[in-house]
Coordinates of all heavy atoms in Angstrom, one line a residue:
S1 N 355.0 34.1 231.8 CA 354.4 33.7 230.5 C 355.0 34.5 229.3 O 355.4 35.6 229.5 CB 352.9 33.9 230.5 OG 352.3 33.2 231.6
L2 N 355.0 33.8 228.2 CA 355.3 34.5 226.9 C 354.4 33.9 225.8 O 353.9 32.7 225.9 CB 356.7 34.2 226.5 CG 357.9 35.0 227.2 CD1 359.2 34.5 226.7 CD2 357.7 36.5 226.9
R3 N 354.1 34.7 224.8 CA 353.4 34.2 223.6 C 354.2 34.4 222.4 O 354.5 35.5 222.0 CB 352.1 35.0 223.5 CG 351.1 34.4 222.4 CD 350.1 35.4 222.1 NE 348.9 34.7 221.4 CZ 348.1 35.4 220.6 NH1 348.2 36.7 220.5 NH2 347.1 34.8 220.0
L4 N 354.6 33.3 221.8 CA 355.3 33.3 220.5 C 354.3 33.3 219.4 O 353.3 32.7 219.4 CB 356.2 32.1 220.4 CG 357.2 31.8 221.6 CD1 358.1 30.7 221.2 CD2 358.0 33.1 221.9
S5 N 354.8 34.0 218.3 CA 354.0 34.1 217.1 C 354.9 33.6 215.9 O 356.1 33.8 215.9 CB 353.5 35.5 216.8 OG 352.6 35.9 217.8
C6 N 354.3 33.0 214.9 CA 355.0 32.7 213.7 C 354.2 33.1 212.5 O 353.1 32.5 212.3 CB 355.3 31.2 213.7 SG 355.9 30.6 212.1
A7 N 354.6 34.1 211.8 CA 353.9 34.6 210.6 C 354.4 33.9 209.4 O 355.7 33.8 209.2 CB 354.1 36.1 210.5
A8 N 353.5 33.3 208.6 CA 353.9 32.5 207.5 C 353.5 33.2 206.2 O 352.4 33.7 206.0 CB 353.2 31.2 207.5
S9 N 354.5 33.3 205.3 CA 354.2 33.8 203.9 C 353.9 32.6 203.1 O 354.8 32.1 202.3 CB 355.3 34.6 203.4 OG 356.5 33.8 203.3
I10 N 352.7 32.0 203.2 CA 352.3 30.8 202.5 C 350.9 31.1 201.8 O 350.0 31.6 202.5 CB 352.1 29.6 203.4 CG1 353.4 29.3 204.1 CG2 351.6 28.4 202.7 CD1 353.3 28.2 205.2
H11 N 350.8 30.8 200.5 CA 349.6 31.1 199.8 C 348.4 30.4 200.4 O 347.3 31.0 200.5 CB 349.8 30.8 198.3 CG 348.6 31.2 197.5 ND1 348.2 32.5 197.4 CD2 347.8 30.4 196.7 CE1 347.1 32.5 196.6 NE2 346.9 31.2 196.2
T12 N 348.6 29.1 200.7 CA 347.5 28.3 201.3 C 347.9 27.8 202.7 O 348.2 26.6 202.9 CB 347.2 27.1 200.3 OG1 348.4 26.4 200.1 CG2 346.6 27.6 199.0
F13 N 348.0 28.7 203.6 CA 348.4 28.4 205.0 C 347.7 27.2 205.6 O 348.2 26.4 206.3 CB 348.3 29.6 205.8 CG 348.8 29.5 207.2 CD1 350.1 29.2 207.5 CD2 347.9 29.5 208.3 CE1 350.6 29.1 208.8 CE2 348.3 29.4 209.6 CZ 349.6 29.1 209.9
S14 N 346.4 27.2 205.3 CA 345.5 26.2 205.9 C 345.8 24.8 205.4 O 345.3 23.8 205.9 CB 344.0 26.5 205.6 OG 343.8 26.6 204.2
A15 N 346.7 24.7 204.4 CA 347.1 23.4 203.8 C 348.3 22.8 204.5 O 348.7 21.7 204.2 CB 347.3 23.5 202.3
Y16 N 348.8 23.6 205.5 CA 350.1 23.2 206.1 C 349.9 22.8 207.6 O 349.2 23.6 208.3 CB 351.1 24.3 206.1 CG 351.7 24.5 204.7 CD1 351.0 25.1 203.7 CD2 353.0 24.1 204.5 CE1 351.5 25.3 202.4 CE2 353.6 24.3 203.2 CZ 352.8 24.9 202.2 OH 353.4 25.0 201.0
A17 N 350.4 21.6 208.0 CA 350.5 21.3 209.4 C 351.7 22.2 210.0 O 352.7 22.4 209.3 CB 350.8 19.8 209.6
M18 N 351.5 22.6 211.2 CA 352.5 23.5 211.8 C 353.0 22.9 213.1 O 352.2 22.2 213.8 CB 351.9 24.9 212.0 CG 351.3 25.6 210.8 SD 352.6 25.9 209.6 CE 353.6 27.1 210.5
A19 N 354.2 23.3 213.5 CA 354.7 22.8 214.7 C 355.7 23.8 215.3 O 356.2 24.7 214.6 CB 355.4 21.5 214.5
W20 N 356.0 23.6 216.6 CA 357.1 24.3 217.3 C 358.1 23.3 217.8 O 357.7 22.3 218.3 CB 356.5 25.1 218.5 CG 355.7 26.3 218.1 CD1 354.4 26.4 217.9 CD2 356.2 27.7 217.8 NE1 354.0 27.7 217.6 CE2 355.1 28.5 217.5 CE3 357.5 28.2 217.8 CZ2 355.3 29.8 217.2 CZ3 357.7 29.6 217.5 CH2 356.5 30.4 217.2
F21 N 359.3 23.7 217.6 CA 360.5 22.9 218.2 C 361.3 23.9 219.0 O 361.2 25.1 218.9 CB 361.3 22.3 217.0 CG 360.7 21.1 216.4 CD1 359.6 21.3 215.5 CD2 361.1 19.8 216.6 CE1 359.0 20.2 214.9 CE2 360.6 18.7 216.0 CZ 359.5 18.9 215.1
R22 N 362.2 23.3 219.8 CA 363.2 24.2 220.5 C 364.5 23.5 220.6 O 364.6 22.3 220.5 CB 362.6 24.5 221.9 CG 362.6 23.3 222.8 CD 361.9 23.7 224.1 NE 361.8 22.6 225.1 CZ 361.2 22.7 226.3 NH1 360.5 23.8 226.6 NH2 361.1 21.6 227.1
Q23 N 365.5 24.3 220.8 CA 366.9 23.8 220.9 C 367.6 24.6 221.9 O 367.9 25.8 221.8 CB 367.6 23.9 219.5 CG 369.0 23.2 219.5 CD 369.5 23.0 218.1 OE1 369.1 23.7 217.2 NE2 370.4 22.1 217.9
A24 N 368.0 23.9 222.9 CA 368.8 24.5 224.0 C 370.3 24.3 223.7 O 370.7 23.4 222.9 CB 368.5 23.8 225.3
P25 N 371.2 25.2 224.3 CA 372.6 25.1 224.0 C 373.2 23.7 224.2 O 372.9 23.1 225.3 CB 373.2 26.1 224.9 CG 372.1 27.1 225.1 CD 370.9 26.3 225.2
G26 N 373.9 23.1 223.3 CA 374.5 21.8 223.4 C 373.5 20.6 223.3 O 374.0 19.5 223.5
K27 N 372.3 20.9 223.0 CA 371.3 19.8 222.9 C 370.7 19.8 221.5 O 370.8 20.7 220.7 CB 370.2 20.0 223.9 CG 370.7 19.9 225.3 CD 369.5 19.9 226.3 CE 369.9 19.8 227.7 NZ 368.8 19.7 228.7
E28 N 370.1 18.6 221.2 CA 369.5 18.5 219.9 C 368.1 19.3 219.9 O 367.5 19.5 220.9 CB 369.2 17.0 219.6 CG 370.5 16.2 219.4 CD 370.2 14.8 218.9 OE1 369.0 14.4 218.9 OE2 371.1 14.1 218.6
R29 N 367.7 19.6 218.7 CA 366.4 20.2 218.5 C 365.3 19.2 218.9 O 365.3 18.1 218.4 CB 366.2 20.7 217.1 CG 365.1 21.7 216.9 CD 365.1 22.3 215.5 NE 366.3 23.1 215.3 CZ 366.5 23.9 214.3 NH1 365.5 24.0 213.3 NH2 367.6 24.6 214.2
E30 N 364.3 19.7 219.7 CA 363.3 18.8 220.2 C 361.9 19.3 219.9 O 361.7 20.5 219.9 CB 363.5 18.5 221.7 CG 363.3 19.7 222.5 CD 363.3 19.4 224.0 OE1 363.6 18.2 224.4 OE2 363.0 20.3 224.8
F31 N 361.0 18.4 219.7 CA 359.6 18.7 219.5 C 359.0 19.4 220.7 O 359.2 18.9 221.8 CB 358.9 17.4 219.1 CG 357.4 17.5 219.0 CD1 356.7 18.1 217.9 CD2 356.6 17.1 220.1 CE1 355.4 18.2 217.9 CE2 355.2 17.3 220.1 CZ 354.6 17.8 218.9
V32 N 358.1 20.4 220.4 CA 357.4 21.0 221.5 C 355.9 20.8 221.3 O 355.2 20.3 222.2 CB 357.7 22.5 221.6 CG1 356.8 23.2 222.6 CG2 359.2 22.7 221.9
A33 N 355.4 21.2 220.1 CA 353.9 21.1 219.9 C 353.6 21.1 218.4 O 354.4 21.5 217.6 CB 353.2 22.3 220.5
H34 N 352.5 20.5 218.1 CA 352.0 20.4 216.7 C 350.5 20.7 216.6 O 349.8 20.4 217.5 CB 352.3 19.0 216.2 CG 351.4 18.5 215.1 ND1 350.3 17.8 215.3 CD2 351.5 18.7 213.7 CE1 349.7 17.5 214.1 NE2 350.4 18.1 213.2
I35 N 350.1 21.3 215.5 CA 348.7 21.5 215.3 C 348.3 21.2 213.8 O 349.1 21.4 212.9 CB 348.4 23.0 215.6 CG1 346.9 23.2 215.6 CG2 349.1 24.0 214.6 CD1 346.5 24.6 216.2
T36 N 347.2 20.5 213.7 CA 346.8 20.1 212.3 C 346.3 21.3 211.5 O 346.2 22.4 212.0 CB 345.6 19.1 212.4 OG1 344.6 19.7 213.2 CG2 346.1 17.8 213.0
R37 N 346.1 21.1 210.3 CA 345.8 22.1 209.3 C 344.6 23.0 209.7 O 344.6 24.2 209.6 CB 345.6 21.6 207.9 CG 346.8 20.9 207.4 CD 346.5 20.2 206.1 NE 345.6 19.1 206.3 CZ 345.1 18.3 205.3 NH1 345.4 18.6 204.0 NH2 344.3 17.3 205.6
S38 N 343.6 22.3 210.2 CA 342.3 23.0 210.7 C 342.4 23.6 212.1 O 341.6 24.4 212.5 CB 341.1 22.1 210.6 OG 341.3 21.1 211.6
G39 N 343.4 23.1 212.8 CA 343.6 23.5 214.2 C 342.8 22.6 215.2 O 342.8 22.8 216.4
G40 N 342.2 21.5 214.6 CA 341.3 20.7 215.4 C 342.0 19.7 216.3 O 341.4 19.2 217.3
I41 N 343.2 19.4 216.0 CA 344.0 18.4 216.8 C 345.4 19.0 217.1 O 346.0 19.6 216.3 CB 344.2 17.1 216.0 CG1 342.9 16.4 215.8 CG2 345.1 16.2 216.8 CD1 342.9 15.2 214.9
T42 N 345.8 18.9 218.4 CA 347.1 19.4 218.8 C 347.8 18.2 219.6 O 347.2 17.3 220.1 CB 346.9 20.6 219.8 OG1 346.1 20.2 220.9 CG2 346.3 21.8 219.1
N43 N 349.1 18.3 219.5 CA 350.0 17.4 220.2 C 351.1 18.1 221.0 O 351.5 19.1 220.4 CB 350.6 16.4 219.2 CG 349.6 15.5 218.5 OD1 349.1 14.6 219.1 ND2 349.3 15.9 217.3

């Protein structure tokens, strides 16, 4: 297991939808996960 963190320097962080993507060597960047502004919905 690993836990990644992303620290944001955003004045109103709660106004931003956030996501994680990943890119393996030789491949396109791909979607991993998304979370809504309140955290109530994830994909």
Side-chain angles (χ1 to χ4, degrees):
S1 298
L2 282 174
R3 188 195 196 200
L4 305 183
S5 299
C6 172
S9 62
I10 300 177
H11 182 62
T12 52
F13 180 69
S14 61
Y16 286 75
M18 302 296 296
W20 288 94
F21 285 75
R22 67 186 181 185
Q23 189 167 17
K27 295 187 177 182
E28 293 186 352
R29 192 170 298 189
E30 65 174 4
F31 170 81
V32 174
H34 154 266
I35 190 166
T36 54
R37 295 171 297 174
S38 67
I41 297 174
T42 56
N43 296 283

